[in-house]
Amino acid sequence: MPGHRVLLLILFLICGSRVFAQDYIQVPAAIQVASQISDGKYTLQGIISSARDNGVRVVITAERDLMRWEYGIWPLRNIIKKRVETGSIFKYGIKRYLGQVKRIRDRNPDMIILAGVESAPFYFWEGSVFKKGFSLKSWHKHILTVGLADAGDYSRLPIIGNKKGLSFGVSLRDLFLFWPLLIVLSGLACLSKKAYDYKDAYGRKLGPVSSGWRKAGLALVAVGFIFLANNFPFRSYLFDQYNGDQGILPYQNFINYANRQDSLTYWLHPEASNRDKSGMVNIETGEYSADLLRTKDYTGFAVFHEGYRKVGRPGGLWDAALIQYCNGQRNKPVWAIGTLGIDANGDIGRQLKALRMVLLVPELNKREVYNALKTGRSYVVSGKSAQDLYLSNFSAQDTGAGTEKIIGEELPLRGNLLIRIKGAFLRGQTGAFKIKLIKNGKVFRTFEAVETFDLSAQDEDPAGFGYYRLEIESADSRLITNPIFVRKQ
């Protein structure tokens, strides 16, 4: 690296931007890494060590909650069934898993480690097991949850396969599940039938039970108890895998549950489709980017990877959701994050270099990291040069009042609006790279720069309530910030 670029790097890291350096520190985070506990190839300690070696101070794991799919033959689905299950938190043991995370935290006090869980809240069967085209649908439609407090929160996750999480609780409808008792009672009545119609002095029927009635009675009692066993534990459930696509219901139900636990939820790889095969079963999941507009009150989505072309680009579905928030149609804004998605096939060292998720925190601790995620105080860079593209300031300023807000915050505007953008490409760039300032889903200003940039833009006609976000694009990398909201007073 030439001498002037080394000096640039040192000055940038020491000085930073006025706002970020004064109030916040930039902390790299690795989000969505699975260990050997579920479907990953690294140990938890190995993940933490690799993150530290790559300058990452925050790790958010993403173990799979329940890697199990099951098909039962009607009418005895709970007895005549096939189950396939691989590694997951439920299989490993929830308390055992949380204990492991605690031990790893204790061994690595310099790192912030948050336990995340990757869920497929719903799947359903299509076709017949006895015919071609039998398919498992939506198995790879995933949501990341961060912030579940204890084992009880995990055990009640509302996902297919976890009846504790999908039960309505005790209700009158559960009484209908005891219908096999009618068959048992009918069988007992058959067993009371006598071969002869004689009575003693007290009116009691005499003689042996008829062999025909005995056989019928025993058969009915047996059938009744089989169906009772099939209906156990006599609970009704919100949905199951046998009644087709339930639309957005299972996912909104999952998001609502996480919100009640004060947890964060992120749609993962919304633009990715998946087709696979396991034996005679076709495993199919279509891309589900439109679900970001169908659901509400989730925290955000993974723009990198598999979330940019339809969702994250200027004017995409993310902007549509943000505009809905500004128009009062959503209670919460939607934040963008970058996830590694490392499972059994990922290379953590390579992927940590190709993705840089940056959180802005006043100090490095678990509470502030969680708050930065919750409030969208972050930006993400993806690409070969992800480690070299730094943003040291992106802020909105009321020039009259002198107030200023940064990424994820809201500026009450009474005077004139000034947008400040500052950063650097620390190892230079062949040719200029583009800096796009996006206002309410449309590119408001475009700048070009090489190596360093310190820019400003005035907006003389800000919306009543709108937002500004930033996208910086080089030949091989892209940086995306979360929005700054501006509310005109």
Side-chain angles (χ1 to χ4, degrees):
M1 184 185 291
H4 76 281
R5 288 178 183 160
V6 173
L7 179 61
L8 171 64
L9 173 60
I10 294 172
L11 289 174
F12 183 87
L13 293 177
I14 291 175
C15 299
S17 87
R18 181 174 64 84
V19 174
F20 287 177
Q22 205 172 60
D23 298 332
Y24 299 98
I25 55 175
Q26 300 197 34
V27 180
I31 302 177
Q32 196 199 0
V33 186
S35 76
Q36 294 173 354
I37 288 172
S38 58
D39 62 345
K41 67 179 180 180
Y42 302 99
T43 64
L44 271 176
Q45 183 56 59
I47 291 169
I48 301 306
S49 297
S50 295
R52 181 189 289 111
D53 292 343
N54 284 275
V56 174
R57 298 294 304 280
V58 175
V59 174
I60 300 172
T61 64
E63 307 294 354
R64 295 300 305 273
D65 51 8
L66 182 60
M67 289 287 283
R68 177 199 299 164
W69 51 262
E70 183 176 284
Y71 185 84
I73 303 296
W74 186 89
L76 296 173
R77 294 199 189 278
N78 291 324
I79 295 177
I80 306 172
K81 61 184 178 181
K82 168 73 172 179
R83 172 183 290 180
V84 175
E85 184 171 7
T86 56
S88 67
I89 295 174
F90 278 48
K91 187 175 182 179
Y92 185 80
I94 297 172
K95 291 183 179 179
R96 183 184 174 198
Y97 163 64
L98 295 177
Q100 177 80 335
V101 172
K102 183 180 184 304
R103 285 190 293 273
I104 294 296
R105 284 195 188 112
D106 293 341
R107 292 177 199 162
N108 301 272
D110 60 320
M111 302 287 287
I112 304 299
I113 304 166
L114 300 181
V117 58
E118 184 176 344
S119 303
F122 180 68
Y123 69 85
F124 66 99
W125 295 102
E126 187 173 86
S128 171
V129 69
F130 303 108
K131 297 179 181 179
K132 290 184 179 180
F134 182 55
S135 300
L136 175 65
K137 298 283 191 175
S138 298
W139 181 241
H140 291 279
K141 199 168 178 178
H142 294 152
I143 294 176
L144 172 67
T145 305
V146 181
L148 294 176
D150 53 38
D153 291 345
Y154 284 85
S155 69
R156 292 185 295 272
L157 282 168
I159 56 176
I160 289 288
N162 183 29
K163 292 184 177 181
K164 184 177 181 180
L166 291 179
S167 172
F168 278 113
V170 179
S171 64
L172 289 176
R173 73 183 68 193
D174 297 339
L175 294 177
F176 291 100
L177 297 174
F178 288 92
W179 66 264
L181 284 175
L182 298 176
I183 300 178
V184 173
L185 293 174
S186 298
L188 294 175
C190 291
L191 290 174
S192 69
K193 291 287 186 180
K194 301 296 183 180
Y196 307 106
D197 193 18
Y198 296 135
K199 298 180 181 179
D200 62 14
Y202 298 99
R204 295 174 298 191
K205 289 186 178 182
L206 301 175
V209 176
S210 166
S211 61
W213 284 109
R214 177 185 290 274
K215 290 178 182 178
L218 290 173
L220 288 171
V221 169
V223 169
F225 276 113
I226 288 172
F227 277 96
L228 280 172
N230 183 71
N231 290 353
F232 182 82
F234 310 110
R235 290 287 184 271
S236 299
Y237 302 102
L238 186 59
F239 47 79
D240 62 28
Q241 63 267 45
Y242 300 113
N243 291 289
D245 191 354
Q246 299 297 303
I248 212 64
L249 167 65
Y251 306 97
Q252 189 62 62
N253 180 65
F254 184 94
I255 292 166
N256 293 344
Y257 172 81
N259 285 336
R260 289 194 296 271
Q261 316 313 315
D262 192 28
S263 297
L264 313 178
T265 47
Y266 300 91
W267 282 103
L268 298 176
H269 48 76
E271 297 176 18
S273 59
N274 179 275
R275 290 184 178 272
D276 201 355
K277 197 172 181 69
S278 177
M280 61 173 290
V281 178
N282 299 311
I283 303 174
E284 302 174 353
T285 304
E287 70 91 29
Y288 46 93
S289 58
D291 286 350
L292 273 70
L293 292 183
R294 297 189 184 113
T295 48
K296 61 181 182 179
D297 296 335
Y298 58 92
T299 310
F301 76 103
V303 64
F304 302 127
H305 297 278
E306 304 291 353
Y308 178 78
R309 291 180 302 105
K310 293 184 178 181
V311 185
R313 65 173 177 79
L317 297 175
W318 182 27
D319 283 313
L322 291 173
I323 289 170
Q324 286 179 344
Y325 170 68
C326 292
N327 291 338
Q329 297 168 301
R330 285 180 177 267
N331 297 323
K332 298 180 179 180
V334 173
W335 308 121
I337 61 171
T339 60
L340 298 175
I342 297 176
D343 52 22
N345 301 312
D347 183 324
I348 189 169
R350 180 178 61 82
Q351 288 179 252
L352 281 169
K353 290 180 173 62
L355 183 78
R356 193 164 62 90
M357 176 73 193
V358 179
L359 304 176
L360 306 176
V361 296
E363 55 184 296
L364 185 58
N365 59 51
K366 182 179 177 181
R367 181 176 62 84
E368 292 298 344
V369 164
Y370 186 82
N371 192 47
L373 289 166
K374 185 175 184 177
T375 59
R377 212 165 49 238
S378 62
Y379 69 90
V380 60
V381 197
S382 176
K384 292 182 179 179
S385 303
Q387 303 304 311
D388 300 320
L389 186 54
Y390 278 80
L391 184 68
S392 56
N393 187 25
F394 175 43
S395 61
Q397 182 180 7
D398 183 331
T399 57
T403 54
E404 195 168 30
K405 298 294 181 180
I406 65 164
I407 299 169
E409 297 179 340
E410 180 180 317
L411 175 71
L413 182 68
R414 294 178 175 83
N416 295 321
L417 177 64
L418 179 68
I419 305 294
R420 298 292 305 274
I421 306 166
K422 183 178 180 182
F425 199 91
L426 299 179
R427 288 193 291 183
Q429 178 73 13
T430 303
F433 55 92
K434 290 185 179 180
I435 302 168
K436 298 176 184 178
L437 177 61
I438 300 160
K439 172 188 177 182
N440 299 335
K442 297 180 180 180
V443 176
F444 177 65
R445 290 271 168 44
T446 300
F447 307 91
E448 292 190 352
V450 179
E451 293 192 4
T452 63
F453 51 91
D454 189 353
L455 309 166
S456 62
Q458 289 186 330
D459 186 357
E460 297 178 356
D461 187 27
F465 183 36
Y467 67 91
Y468 301 81
R469 64 183 185 89
L470 203 62
E471 180 175 317
I472 303 176
E473 184 180 3
S474 71
D476 56 17
S477 299
R478 180 177 277 114
L479 181 153
I480 288 178
T481 73
N482 277 311
I484 304 171
F485 293 95
V486 176
R487 188 185 296 271
K488 196 172 182 180
Q489 303 296 298

